[in-house]
Amino acid sequence: DENKDRTKAAAVSQAKIDSTQIKTDKASTEYKSVSKQIEGLKVYNAQKRKQIKRQVERMREIEKTMKYASVLQRQIPPLARRMHAGLEQFVALDLPFSSGERTERLKFIKDALDNPTVSPAEKLRQVLEGFDIEAEYGRKIDTYKDTILIGDKERDVNILRVGRLVLAYQTSDQDRTGIWNKETKTWERLPGRYRGVVRDGISMAKKLKTVDMLELPV
């Protein structure tokens, strides 16, 4: 009987031990899981604190900028008009190439400046785009057909423009070749030896001939 009682007590005791061990293992697992979550939250919170700090600094910058926004908005329209006037003067003093296209662009920009529904930012963008296009002219070789006054007669010619260095022409029959004189602001005839050079330059501009050196008077 004693043995039976002792065996039964041992079984009850073992059951308590097993139950306690299970609870301990469960608690240990939960503790490790929570510890990992806490570590992750610490890192997350540290990142958020940095982001919040940057956002607060950005808010201060925006607040400061907003104080000057109205002032800047009032200054943009007159600035855009001064830039447009400068662009008009530049085109007027420049070589007389693509006159129709450039004049039309200047008119388009002026219409935008005069339009009250166009925002100041868009007005400034239009002017800056005009400057970009004019700057691009100085970096390219181009050719197009035009009618110019040679002497006292209008002639249909092929124009060759090499950046802003040279503006030359050649009649369709290649009978006459000339160049724009920046000093006299007139078209002047070139000697016959330049006929082939201008012809080659026109072919290069049309991408019909490999780009090569061109010996032209500047």
Side-chain angles (χ1 to χ4, degrees):
D1 289 340
E2 283 296 326
N3 285 335
K4 287 180 181 179
D5 291 340
R6 190 166 54 251
T7 301
K8 186 184 293 184
V12 172
S13 178
Q14 186 61 47
K16 289 181 178 180
I17 292 172
D18 292 342
S19 176
T20 301
Q21 185 64 44
I22 291 172
K23 291 178 180 178
T24 300
D25 291 343
K26 184 179 179 181
S28 177
T29 302
E30 289 179 355
Y31 174 78
K32 291 177 181 179
S33 176
V34 171
S35 295
K36 287 182 179 180
Q37 291 179 15
I38 291 173
E39 289 299 320
L41 287 172
K42 285 180 179 179
V43 175
Y44 177 80
N45 288 337
Q47 292 176 345
K48 285 297 178 183
R49 279 193 291 270
K50 290 180 180 179
Q51 292 177 2
I52 291 171
K53 183 180 178 181
R54 286 196 296 267
Q55 288 174 348
V56 170
E57 292 173 353
R58 180 59 180 155
M59 287 169 63
R60 289 172 182 167
E61 292 174 1
I62 293 173
E63 186 177 356
K64 184 178 179 180
T65 303
M66 288 174 64
K67 293 179 181 178
Y68 298 101
S70 58
V71 178
L72 291 173
Q73 191 170 9
R74 289 194 299 269
Q75 291 177 345
I76 288 176
L79 171 64
R81 289 189 179 277
R82 289 196 300 272
M83 293 174 69
H84 178 261
L87 192 60
E88 277 187 322
Q89 184 179 17
F90 177 81
V91 172
L93 296 173
D94 197 18
L95 299 176
F97 62 87
S98 304
S99 301
E101 175 186 333
R102 298 166 82 190
T103 301
E104 185 64 27
R105 185 179 303 110
L106 287 170
K107 183 180 180 301
F108 179 82
I109 295 173
K110 188 176 187 303
D111 290 343
L113 295 177
D114 293 337
N115 190 340
T117 62
V118 178
S119 68
E122 176 61 19
K123 292 177 180 180
L124 184 60
R125 190 194 69 78
Q126 293 282 358
V127 178
L128 291 175
E129 185 176 348
F131 272 92
D132 285 341
I133 294 172
E134 286 294 330
E136 192 67 19
Y137 284 140
R139 295 191 287 267
K140 288 185 176 180
I141 180 172
D142 187 27
T143 184
Y144 60 92
K145 293 184 179 296
D146 201 356
T147 301
I148 63 173
L149 190 65
I150 302 176
D152 57 351
K153 294 182 180 179
E154 288 190 344
R155 298 286 300 271
D156 293 332
V157 297
N158 292 309
I159 298 291
L160 171 65
R161 178 181 60 79
V162 183
R164 282 190 164 85
L165 293 175
V166 175
L167 188 64
Y169 75 86
Q170 190 170 75
T171 55
S172 299
D173 58 5
Q174 300 182 16
D175 176 60
R176 188 160 181 163
T177 302
I179 197 168
W180 177 260
N181 189 317
K182 300 177 185 178
E183 300 297 328
T184 63
K185 297 189 182 303
T186 57
W187 294 102
E188 292 185 358
R189 190 167 186 171
L190 287 175
R193 68 178 184 273
Y194 289 109
R195 180 185 303 168
V197 178
V198 173
R199 182 188 62 235
D200 290 344
I202 292 172
S203 297
M204 291 177 197
K206 291 180 178 179
K207 295 182 172 56
L208 300 175
K209 186 178 178 65
T210 305
V211 175
D212 199 356
M213 297 292 290
L214 292 173
E215 187 177 347
L216 288 164
V218 177

